[in-house]
Amino acid sequence: MAKDETNPPIPSRAQRKHCHALRDTYFSCLDANNIEDPADRGKLCAKERENMFNSGCPKSWFTYFEELRAMKIKQERMYRDMPKRPVADRSR
């Protein structure tokens, strides 16, 4: 039976744990170099990203991890920059 490239095998729990650990190492490198958008990393952190790629992590996870990181950073910035609203007086 030919390997179906559109539906790669589902990673085991151990493989997922390993991929998440590699992702955390990659993100730590991005954080250490003050890189918010992984597309702007240039050659920085290339080794960490390649380790994730070469370890058998599903390719679709790269995009997901990087998009999730960008969304979280944007969300944190939005909450941080949001004007503080006064708390309503509930003593009535």
Side-chain angles (χ1 to χ4, degrees):
M1 182 180 255
K3 184 178 178 183
D4 186 0
E5 293 298 323
T6 58
N7 292 316
I10 298 171
S12 69
R13 178 179 289 183
Q15 289 168 322
R16 290 192 309 269
K17 187 175 182 178
H18 180 69
C19 287
H20 283 111
L22 291 172
R23 175 207 57 195
D24 293 344
T25 301
Y26 173 50
F27 285 179
S28 293
C29 178
L30 294 174
D31 290 340
N33 289 288
N34 295 318
I35 301 170
E36 289 186 6
D37 184 356
D40 296 336
R41 75 184 187 289
K43 294 186 185 221
L44 292 171
C45 306
K47 183 183 85 173
E48 289 81 357
R49 190 174 196 276
E50 194 169 311
N51 285 343
M52 200 166 53
F53 183 75
N54 291 333
S55 71
C57 296
K59 293 177 186 177
S60 62
W61 289 22
F62 291 90
T63 305
Y64 173 74
F65 286 156
E66 291 177 341
E67 287 176 355
L68 184 63
R69 174 186 166 80
M71 182 186 68
K72 284 183 178 183
I73 289 171
K74 185 177 179 180
Q75 190 177 48
E76 287 171 2
R77 185 178 297 122
M78 182 185 68
Y79 287 136
R80 183 187 65 225
D81 296 343
M82 190 183 303
K84 304 289 186 229
R85 295 189 326 189
V87 177
D89 183 12
R90 297 183 183 191
S91 61
R92 296 178 190 202

